[in-house]
Amino acid sequence: MEKKQAPAYRWVILVVVCLIGVLSNYMQYQISAMAVSLTPLLKIDPAGFSTLLMMPMLTAVFLSIPMGTLGDKIGPKRVVFWCLIIAVIGAFLRTFFLNFPMQAISMFLLGAGIAALNANLIKILSVWFGDKAQVGMGFFFGAAGVGVILAQMVAPRMSVFVSYLTAAIILAVFTVIWLVLIKDVPNGVQLPPASGESPVKYFGVAAKSRNVWLIGLCYGFSMAASTAFAGFIPQTLRTINHFDVTTAGLVASAAALGSIIGSVIGPQISSRLRTWKWYLVFTIVVGAALMVFFWAVVLGMKAAPAIPVLFIIMMISGTFGAMNGPIVQAMPYALPEIRGKYAGSAGGLVTAVGLLCAFLIPVIVSKICGANLILNLAIESVIFLVSAVFVIAMPELGPGGKIAQQIAASEKQQA
């Protein structure tokens, strides 16, 4: 049965999904890469700059749940396509209206496409990859990291107008590619007939699942901690170890490189295992231990380690910090109360909870710690470790667990 659900065309689906992921993250982090040019051009302070940078995340907070639920009702292809159209409008608006209010509005619109895709991603990948959906999820997570790195490398080499316009045109092309190539299901497989259930009913099923909330909290705590930790690394190295801006940025980029590696290899390893729970706990504990090693040992040294050594430490830390994310986000499909029918609603809820945690937790920690950067890093490492508690509270969802075996037996009887 699984082979019928996973034809070779799934790789076309995955490539298109990853292209959207690369470009969406590239377009968001263009703001960061071109900060030197944008700040005086738009006459904004650091708060205004942060607002522009984080605006697509705000879009996702609002849209994840309704777009995921709608994807369950009418299929993800149409939902993501129309949100990509909104994103294209936002991309061209920000190209031609270089003032702060319009930039803020356009960045909000720009987040619509990736918000809808994130919310429906597990539904798309579960249809095409079945129980190996976490493998596809890993490539998508890695694509996001590639987009961030490309933004830092490419965007500063162009003027703001040319950089924005080029990205807008490419997004329009990718939207057409989405319309032409994406299919909701493989050929020969029928979508479930539309029922009389309202979108609220779809969301209600996901919201009533204790395990969906545990997945969302695990994803949110780990993402919040790893993102904030990586974000404070350059500032910490400059303040405590007196690194220059270039060297501190180089070390920080190692964590981003590691996150790409971890996003890909983490799901590849789990797909070869019968059970997932303790593998996830292991990756989280090791990731937290490496965070602690960084702030407790490396920063405490009178003489900082050689740059190549520090680069390797940060790359390994970034790898373990990212190994669990794709697996956790793919887990709703393994829940018998969710599976494919309610995967969009569950994915939207997980995404919304995760993004709220990613926004609120670092803000709260920063308020507590103030200018104490070491304390900030210490708390973030503890928060990352706490995400393992949510994993332990879940049932075993790997193919060797009782739940997977019960689902397989039920599907075999239905076939």
Side-chain angles (χ1 to χ4, degrees):
M1 180 178 177
E2 203 58 55
K3 289 182 180 178
K4 293 179 183 178
Q5 292 267 346
Y9 197 77
R10 64 181 178 173
W11 298 109
V12 176
I13 301 293
L14 183 59
V15 168
V16 176
V17 163
C18 287
L19 286 175
I20 300 294
V22 169
L23 185 60
S24 296
N25 281 274
Y26 174 88
M27 295 180 78
Q28 178 179 354
Y29 284 91
Q30 277 179 302
I31 301 292
S32 174
M34 298 188 299
V36 174
S37 302
L38 277 174
T39 301
L41 180 65
L42 301 178
K43 300 177 182 178
I44 53 176
D45 57 14
F49 171 78
S50 296
T51 300
L52 288 182
L53 182 62
M54 303 304 290
M55 193 60 75
M57 291 182 67
L58 184 63
T59 315
V61 170
F62 284 108
L63 290 187
S64 292
I65 291 174
M67 291 304 101
T69 302
L70 196 58
D72 282 334
K73 186 70 176 175
I74 67 173
K77 176 176 179 175
R78 282 189 286 170
V79 173
V80 177
F81 173 72
W82 288 112
C83 286
L84 283 172
I85 293 292
I86 294 172
V88 170
I89 293 171
F92 280 101
L93 281 177
R94 77 168 186 170
T95 302
F96 294 101
F97 295 92
L98 293 173
N99 59 76
F100 178 74
M102 287 303 298
Q103 288 290 298
I105 293 170
S106 64
M107 288 298 290
F108 184 86
L109 297 176
L110 194 59
I114 191 64
L117 178 56
N118 272 321
N120 286 279
L121 190 59
I122 182 56
K123 188 172 186 73
I124 295 168
L125 296 181
S126 64
V127 168
W128 289 93
F129 286 80
D131 291 326
K132 303 290 184 183
Q134 76 271 22
V135 174
M137 191 76 76
F139 281 105
F140 179 78
F141 270 61
V146 171
V148 175
I149 292 175
L150 282 176
Q152 301 296 333
M153 293 173 57
V154 177
R157 299 177 182 275
M158 295 181 275
S159 68
V160 172
F161 177 80
V162 172
S163 182
Y164 277 177
L165 181 61
T166 303
I169 292 171
I170 295 174
L171 181 61
V173 172
F174 282 5
T175 300
V176 174
I177 290 174
W178 177 276
L179 179 64
V180 172
L181 296 182
I182 290 294
K183 302 176 182 178
D184 280 326
V185 293
N187 292 333
V189 177
Q190 296 294 322
L191 277 171
S195 67
E197 295 176 334
S198 70
V200 175
K201 174 77 178 293
Y202 279 81
F203 173 70
V205 172
K208 289 177 183 176
S209 171
R210 169 180 175 269
N211 290 317
V212 169
W213 286 99
L214 288 172
I215 290 169
L217 289 169
C218 176
Y219 173 59
F221 271 59
S222 61
M223 180 171 63
S226 58
T227 302
F229 194 95
F232 275 103
I233 286 173
Q235 183 180 351
T236 305
L237 289 174
R238 292 198 301 270
T239 303
I240 296 175
N241 295 100
H242 306 294
F243 283 18
D244 58 48
V245 174
T246 302
T247 304
L250 176 65
V251 173
S253 69
L257 177 60
S259 71
I260 296 173
I261 297 171
S263 295
V264 174
I265 68 170
Q268 292 287 348
I269 294 172
S270 73
S271 69
R272 289 166 172 77
L273 300 175
R274 297 288 296 164
T275 57
W276 294 348
K277 177 185 282 192
W278 297 109
Y279 166 69
L280 282 172
V281 171
F282 170 76
T283 62
I284 292 170
V285 170
V286 173
L290 288 167
M291 288 178 172
V292 172
F293 177 78
F294 177 77
W295 64 260
V297 178
V298 174
L299 295 179
M301 293 180 178
K302 291 183 179 179
I307 299 304
V309 174
L310 199 53
F311 188 92
I312 292 171
I313 292 172
M314 290 312 305
M315 186 171 69
I316 296 173
S317 178
T319 299
F320 276 92
M323 289 176 76
N324 67 88
I327 305 168
V328 170
Q329 269 211 296
M331 278 183 165
Y333 178 71
L335 299 172
E337 67 269 30
I338 300 299
R339 294 303 281 172
K341 183 176 181 180
Y342 300 105
S345 300
L349 181 57
V350 168
T351 301
V353 171
L355 289 173
L356 279 173
C357 289
F359 179 77
L360 292 175
I361 290 176
V363 172
I364 294 170
V365 172
S366 295
K367 289 289 185 182
I368 294 171
C369 299
N372 191 333
L373 297 175
I374 296 294
L375 179 60
N376 195 309
L377 295 179
I379 293 177
E380 298 294 356
S381 62
V382 172
I383 290 171
F384 187 80
L385 182 62
V386 169
S387 66
V389 175
F390 300 115
V391 176
I392 294 172
M394 296 179 209
E396 172 56 62
L397 297 176
K402 290 182 180 179
I403 289 179
Q405 293 172 2
Q406 291 170 356
I407 291 173
S410 175
E411 290 179 346
K412 186 175 181 181
Q413 289 178 350
Q414 293 174 5

